[in-house]
Amino acid sequence: MDWTGIAGLITALGLAPVLLVITQHWIKNSERRAEERAKRIKEKADEDRAALIGIYSKLWAYMWKLLFTIDADRVYIIQPHPIHERQFISISLETVHPERDVASHKDGFQFRRLSEWSWFASALGTKDWVIFRSLDDIKAKDLKTYSEAYRRGVQSVYFRRLCDVKRQWIGTLCVEYTHKNPSEYDFIKGNMIEKATLIADILPEYKPKEG
């Protein structure tokens, strides 16, 4: 195609100004559509961020109430991730008693490989309850779990499985006692069941960043 000839014809017919106006109009419309799309994306991201903040506010409230109601030292959530591959387990949320000398362990329990914590991860993912009322009980089951509990100063610990609507494991609600070994087992379990149901309904997938 002879583009030089076509350009000459357009010029001869006086169409160049018209084509310039059309081109400018097209560019402006394209820019406007791009700006509107970017605005919609930003608004959706802001809405998602606000919704996520609301969800985590509820989760914190449930965990804090549980901590004080059953007089625990730590309440936290362990989640497998990525959710569809389950290569790791990590503590995603944690509350510790503010009036006791209880250290946080969230940062120290991240990206633990399921292959290296096979007994622990399998127990959490397949059993509704895993309960240890003493360190000796933990030691009798799994030495790796025992070492972790000993390092934290745990006297007793309760694990309640969290499932989605398809009964798939999405996390575990955990309660630890370091200052005492409680005897109110039914009271503790009843409160954990109540909060676990509420938490499982809204718990987001855990997506930590390595490093």
Side-chain angles (χ1 to χ4, degrees):
M1 184 176 290
D2 186 1
W3 291 103
T4 303
I6 292 174
L9 180 61
I10 290 173
T11 302
L13 295 174
L15 296 177
V18 175
L19 289 177
L20 179 61
V21 171
I22 292 173
T23 302
Q24 290 175 339
H25 180 71
W26 180 84
I27 291 173
K28 287 182 179 179
N29 280 343
S30 297
E31 290 175 344
R32 178 177 53 80
R33 287 195 296 269
E35 289 174 357
E36 289 175 351
R37 183 170 182 273
K39 182 180 179 181
R40 288 196 298 271
I41 292 173
K42 183 179 183 302
E43 289 174 348
K44 179 66 166 58
D46 290 344
E47 290 173 1
D48 291 345
R49 192 177 298 111
L52 198 58
I53 291 172
I55 289 171
Y56 277 106
S57 295
K58 287 183 178 180
L59 290 172
W60 284 116
Y62 295 151
M63 293 170 67
W64 276 110
K65 185 172 182 180
L66 180 62
L67 181 84
F68 286 106
T69 300
I70 63 176
D71 194 28
D73 294 292
R74 291 188 192 96
V75 173
Y76 54 98
I77 296 173
I78 292 176
Q79 289 183 255
H81 58 93
I83 193 64
H84 298 298
E85 298 176 16
R86 297 179 183 172
Q87 297 178 1
F88 308 97
I89 51 174
S90 297
I91 294 178
S92 59
L93 292 167
E94 180 189 43
T95 58
V96 298
H97 202 292
E99 298 176 359
R100 296 174 186 150
D101 186 20
V102 182
S104 169
H105 286 284
K106 180 180 182 298
D107 292 341
F109 199 92
Q110 297 292 313
F111 287 96
R112 302 295 178 95
R113 291 189 176 277
L114 266 69
S115 58
E116 298 173 1
W117 291 77
S118 55
W119 181 88
F120 183 64
S122 176
L124 296 189
T126 59
K127 298 180 180 180
D128 286 337
W129 287 101
V130 178
I131 298 173
F132 297 111
R133 293 173 180 169
S134 71
L135 276 174
D136 288 339
D137 289 346
I138 304 175
K139 191 174 184 179
K141 285 291 185 180
D142 183 64
L143 289 178
K144 196 174 187 70
T145 306
Y146 166 78
S147 296
E148 182 73 17
Y150 181 82
R151 184 175 65 84
R152 295 185 187 193
V154 173
Q155 290 195 37
S156 60
V157 58
Y158 295 68
F159 299 102
R160 173 69 180 184
R161 186 169 60 144
L162 304 172
C163 296
D164 60 15
V165 293
K166 297 179 180 179
R167 293 295 298 168
Q168 296 297 308
W169 178 47
I170 58 172
T172 300
L173 178 61
C174 317
V175 167
E176 286 184 359
Y177 288 90
T178 61
H179 76 288
K180 67 175 183 179
N181 199 337
S183 58
E184 308 86 359
Y185 308 127
D186 291 339
F187 179 70
I188 293 169
K189 290 177 66 176
N191 277 276
M192 287 186 70
I193 290 172
E194 177 189 347
K195 293 301 183 290
T197 302
L198 296 171
I199 289 170
D201 284 343
I202 62 173
L203 185 66
E205 180 181 352
Y206 188 50
K207 299 178 180 180
K209 295 181 181 180
E210 288 192 82

